Amino acid sequence: MSNAFHDKVAVVTGGSAGIGYVTAQKIAEGSGTVYITGRDQDVLTAAAADISGDVIGVRADSRSADDLDRLFAQVERRSGRVDVLVVNAAAIATAPLGTITEDIIRTVFDVNITGTIMTVQKALPLLVDGGVIVLTGSMAAHKASRGRSLYAASKAGVRALARTWALELTPRGIRVNVVSPGPTDTPGIAQLAATAEEREALFAAMGTGTPMTRAGTAEEVAAVIAFVASDAASHVNGADYQVDGGYGQV
Ligand SMILES: NC(=O)c1ccc[n+]([C@@H]2O[C@H](COP(=O)([O-])OP(=O)(O)OC[C@H]3O[C@@H](n4cnc5c(N)ncnc54)[C@H](OP(=O)(O)O)[C@@H]3O)[C@@H](O)[C@H]2O)c1
């Protein structure tokens, strides 16, 4: 990725950890400027300091229109434009049918759908013609797992948004794509386990349904996001890259 993002300005939401963090790393390695978001300024400051290059941590909850306004105002003041927008922040909840509450619906849809729409819409005036938007989807949109209907519906929505936006933004040369991870070893998933042994068992279990018999890594997903966001993917538009070790493919 050396110089793949030279002179490019990128925003990666949910960039303080996991897939978003490694994506930011890859864009910075490619000589791009990257704004990363999350809800904790201390974590963001530490993440930005950890990544070498021009990385700026901006506290912005994707559920908050005001936070998103502040984020893009800061990007505009400092960089004047956005070339690459990676909408990656998301919420997950487990709630089997019969236990779903309005609160749980809001928890998932406020970030994954409303947050995605508002992030893209608020970035739009700064997005250059010929720019690129990558939405992080999920294999959950394509393959069911018990208790995850809300998350699956929200990620199917993300996939649908990308199709329409790709069509609508074609006149400006803006490409819109989805990258859909399968089970992936990230801090967000790891925190579901209390001990190192539990964590190992969790990721082993996540890998069992996968032809490759292991969960993916944030690195493996971020590599595809960075490719799709780069000029090397200049004819890739409206697509959904599934990075799942074959989980939903065979
Ligand atoms: N890991 C998997 O197995 C997997 C599988 C399929 C799809 N995905 C998708 O991949 C993406 C990244 O997942 P991940 O596993 O890398 O997550 P992660 O390790 O939990 O990291 C999530 C990142 O998003 C931030 N974030 C969470 N809620 C936010 C909000 N409301 N506003 C702004 N930032 C927020 C987190 O920071 P704070 O918590 O400090 O805000 C953190 O930086 C998500 O879209 C997820 O749905 C993951």
Side-chain angles (χ1 to χ4, degrees):
M1 279 287 151
S2 107
N3 282 335
F5 296 98
H6 182 61
D7 269 348
K8 303 261 174 149
V9 178
V11 174
V12 180
T13 70
S16 63
I19 292 164
Y21 172 84
V22 185
T23 300
Q25 234 174 4
K26 291 193 174 298
I27 294 171
E29 267 166 25
S31 306
T33 290
V34 197
Y35 294 82
I36 55 174
T37 74
R39 294 164 298 175
D40 185 322
Q41 188 61 55
D42 291 341
V43 175
L44 281 160
T45 304
D50 270 358
I51 303 174
S52 68
D54 192 19
V55 184
I56 307 98
V58 184
R59 200 200 63 72
D61 187 328
S62 298
R63 293 169 299 188
S64 159
D66 288 348
D67 282 7
L68 293 170
D69 282 337
R70 267 194 315 98
L71 163 68
F72 290 112
Q74 186 170 340
V75 175
E76 183 171 25
R77 270 196 310 277
R78 188 173 180 274
S79 300
R81 65 176 202 283
V82 174
D83 300 285
V84 174
L85 176 66
V86 181
V87 185
N88 170 76
I92 188 165
T94 302
L97 188 62
T99 69
I100 294 170
T101 61
E102 280 184 38
D103 267 359
I104 303 173
I105 297 170
R106 269 192 289 274
T107 298
V108 174
F109 278 79
D110 281 0
V111 189
N112 302 7
I113 292 295
T114 310
T116 296
I117 296 166
M118 295 317 289
T119 301
V120 171
Q121 206 158 257
K122 285 176 182 293
L124 214 47
L126 286 183
L127 255 172
V128 297
D129 291 357
V132 53
I133 298 170
V134 184
L135 309 179
T136 309
S138 171
M139 277 313 298
H142 307 282
K143 198 170 162 90
S145 80
R146 285 187 179 77
R148 293 279 161 79
S149 60
L150 293 177
Y151 179 71
S154 73
K155 291 296 187 173
V158 165
R159 206 285 170 250
L161 291 171
R163 274 200 188 91
T164 309
W165 291 343
L167 202 59
E168 291 178 352
L169 295 176
T170 297
R172 292 188 50 199
I174 296 172
R175 297 184 294 111
V176 185
N177 291 288
V178 177
V179 172
S180 293
T184 308
D185 185 343
T186 63
I189 301 293
Q191 76 183 1
L192 302 173
T195 64
E197 292 73 33
E198 268 184 44
R199 181 192 158 127
E200 206 172 305
L202 175 69
F203 286 112
M206 281 168 69
T208 46
T210 302
M212 292 180 77
T213 66
R214 64 171 178 82
T217 64
E219 171 71 34
E220 288 171 314
V221 179
V224 177
I225 296 176
F227 163 69
V228 171
S230 76
D231 291 344
S234 55
H235 205 50
V236 175
N237 195 18
D240 182 358
Y241 273 66
Q242 297 170 9
V243 189
D244 67 347
Y247 175 70
Q249 316 303 320
V250 297

